[in-house]
Each structure stands twice: as structure tokens, then as C-alpha cells.
Amino acid sequence: MQFTVAIDGPAAAGKGTISRALAAEFGFAHLDTGLLYRAVGAKGGDPETAAQTLTPEDLARPDLRSLEAGQAASRVAVLPAVRAALTEFQRSFARRTGGAVLDGRDIGTVICPEAEVKLYVTASAEVRAHRRWLEVGGDAEQVLAEVRERDARDMNRAEAPLKPAADALCLDTSTMTIEQAVAEAISAVKAGLAARKSHAD
Ligand code: DC
């Protein structure tokens, strides 16, 4: 069975937690596509070459979760050649047998416009910065400024900007518990699986 769940949204909105919960609930494979861009940014050198030659070791670097790696990822992600080099890998992951959840910025809009379920997970910049600050510490104002800077770059770039797909279900997690957000996402996937089954019958 091929079944794709596309999850997009800004940094620290809860995409990763929701994606992992869906993958565990339904037995789907999960790809955090932000990690690909983080690995390209961290590799250094020419970003296009880095994207074309990514290895599993590049994706296993321990420093990919830092704020700096997030900023570097957002900067290389504006380059069309970098995005093009990463497209095929993401598309074939999405169509693998057994179902897949991909989270990122352009999964429902560009990578998998045919995904069976699309979610747009968001929260206010203040809430997201606070969550990030709880993880990384440091100066709270600085963390908020970095969240806003990355949002602006990811949403305003010419190539595959962050925006909800027209048919995405929007989940604003600003005032939700993680359990509520996961429960809504699980219901959306169950509805998608049921719609697909009735289509096939
Ligand atoms: O999801 P993340 O914070 O790990 O993503 C890091 C950066 O990578 C993000 O600021 C923009 C870029 N990115 C992208 O352009 N497209 C994706 N599908 C995933 C991430």
C-alpha cells in the first residue's frame, strides 16, 4: 500500500512530534526533510554539490539540531539547485510501500501534491520561540528573533515558499496540548485511510 501524509509548517510548531506519533500509530516510515537541508548547510562548500552527494553519515551528524544549523539550512534552502537535488529522494520515500509521513515546508505543495493527507501545523511565533527556548536555553529574545528571521526567509523565498496547500487541514497548536494535536492528526489520517478504502471498494 502506498499512502502519503504530508506535514508542513514553520519551525517548532510541533511537526516532528506529530509526525513521529503518526508513524508509530500507523506503522508508516517517517522522513524529517528539514534534516536534509540541515545536513547540506552543515556540510559546507558548494551547497549544490553538498546536496548531490549527501551520505547517511552527513545525516547522522550530532550538531544538526542546533539553532545555527537551522539558520544555515534555511539559507541553503532558498537555492533552487539544492531543492532540485533533494526532490527525487523525498518523492520516492513518499511512495514507498507501507505508507510514509514526511514533514517539512513544501511537502503538500511541491514534493507530494497528491498526498492522501495534508496537514499544516502552526503556532504563534511567541509560542514556538518559547518551546525552542525550553529546548536550547540561552537568550529568549534572541531565540524569538531567530524564529522570526527563519519564518520570513522560509515564507518569502521565490522557490517553494512555506504556505499551506489549498486542501491542507490546518492545526494551530498555540493553545493545544500535544495530546490534542496528535489526536486531531490521527483522526485526519483515519479519515484519509477510510476515504481511500471506500474509493477502492
Ligand atoms: O524543519 P527544520 O527546522 O529542521 O528545517 C530547517 C530549514 O530547512 C527550514 O528553516 C527551511 C528548510 N526546509 C525547507 O526549505 N524545506 C523543507 N521541506 C524542510 C526544511
Side-chain angles (χ1 to χ4, degrees), residues 37-45 49-55 58 61 64:
Y37 293 90
R38 286 171 181 263
V40 170
K43 201 165 172 171
T49 310
Q52 286 165 345
T53 58
L54 271 191
T55 62
D58 293 327
R61 286 173 65 130
L64 295 183

Side-chain angles (χ1 to χ4, degrees), residues 22-190:
L22 289 178
E25 174 80 16
F26 296 99
F28 296 161
H30 171 221
L31 179 64
D32 167 4
T33 66
L35 210 57
L36 304 174
Y37 293 90
R38 286 171 181 263
V40 170
K43 201 165 172 171
D46 172 50
E48 182 179 354
T49 310
Q52 286 165 345
T53 58
L54 271 191
T55 62
E57 291 72 43
D58 293 327
L59 296 174
R61 286 173 65 130
D63 55 351
L64 295 183
R65 295 277 162 213
S66 68
L67 288 179
E68 296 73 33
Q71 289 288 359
S74 173
R75 282 194 291 272
V76 297
V78 305
L79 302 171
V82 166
R83 307 199 71 83
L86 301 176
T87 298
E88 205 34 59
F89 174 73
Q90 296 175 80
R91 287 199 176 133
S92 54
F93 190 98
R95 301 322 285 172
R96 67 198 276 150
T97 303
V101 183
L102 287 82
D103 73 282
R105 302 292 186 289
D106 63 338
I107 308 303
T109 50
V110 174
I111 300 295
C112 305
E114 309 298 330
E116 282 76 7
V117 177
K118 297 179 191 172
L119 301 178
Y120 189 80
V121 181
T122 188
S124 72
E126 290 74 14
V127 166
R128 289 184 289 115
H130 183 66
R131 288 177 188 160
R132 209 16 78 86
W133 177 77
L134 290 174
E135 284 171 16
V136 300
D139 177 353
E141 284 302 312
Q142 174 72 18
V143 175
L144 177 58
E146 296 216 24
V147 161
R148 289 210 164 108
E149 187 189 331
R150 201 133 72 87
D151 281 359
R153 199 185 296 112
D154 295 347
M155 290 174 182
N156 297 320
R157 67 186 178 214
E159 185 85 6
L162 170 63
K163 61 175 179 191
D167 52 350
L169 171 71
C170 210
L171 282 184
D172 185 334
T173 66
S174 302
T175 57
M176 281 182 181
T177 63
I178 192 60
E179 290 77 15
Q180 287 171 327
V182 166
E184 289 222 16
I186 287 176
S187 305
V189 173
K190 283 188 176 156

